[in-house]
Amino acid sequence: MNDTHLESFITVADCGSISKAAKNLYISPQALSQQIELVEREYGHSFFERSTRGVTLTEAGRVFYAFAKQVLAEQWGVKEMLSRLAADRAGVVRIGSVAGPP
């Protein structure tokens, strides 16, 4: 599982439909379904109840949704902190020297 899988899962949950989520993510519904099934297999739970009207989160899905949101928020926070750290270190370094005896 990677960030893309978490983002895909959240998008499906928010849209309530794999086909709508796939359009938002610019991937095929089949590819998105495979990503969701991969995550479900990895964790050993079905996260969505599927019907002809779309998908709804199961109890396990609601727990995983909160986890996915938290993980992505924390990753964004770490990336932001590291960006600031890199910006703090950026600057001009001047080096001077004095000519010594030949």
Side-chain angles (χ1 to χ4, degrees):
M1 182 188 58
N2 58 37
D3 295 356
T4 302
H5 294 133
L6 292 177
E7 290 168 359
S8 296
F9 171 83
I10 290 168
T11 303
V12 171
D14 289 345
C15 289
S17 164
I18 289 177
S19 60
K20 287 178 186 175
K23 285 180 185 177
N24 289 347
L25 296 168
Y26 302 103
I27 61 174
S28 73
Q30 296 82 5
L32 183 54
S33 285
Q34 288 176 349
Q35 284 183 17
I36 298 301
E37 288 170 11
L38 180 86
V39 173
E40 289 176 328
R41 269 187 270 128
E42 184 175 340
Y43 285 91
H45 287 278
S46 292
F47 294 139
F48 294 103
E49 290 182 16
R50 293 155 173 84
S51 73
T52 56
R53 296 179 148 215
V55 296
T56 56
L57 288 171
T58 63
E59 185 175 346
R62 288 189 291 278
V63 169
F64 190 76
Y65 182 86
F67 162 79
K69 293 285 266 191
Q70 181 179 354
V71 167
L72 291 177
E74 287 180 14
Q75 284 182 333
W76 180 84
V78 167
K79 288 178 183 176
E80 184 69 24
M81 283 188 265
L82 292 173
S83 292
R84 282 192 220 133
L85 181 64
D88 289 345
R89 290 186 178 190
V92 176
V93 176
R94 292 192 171 95
I95 301 174
S97 71
V98 178

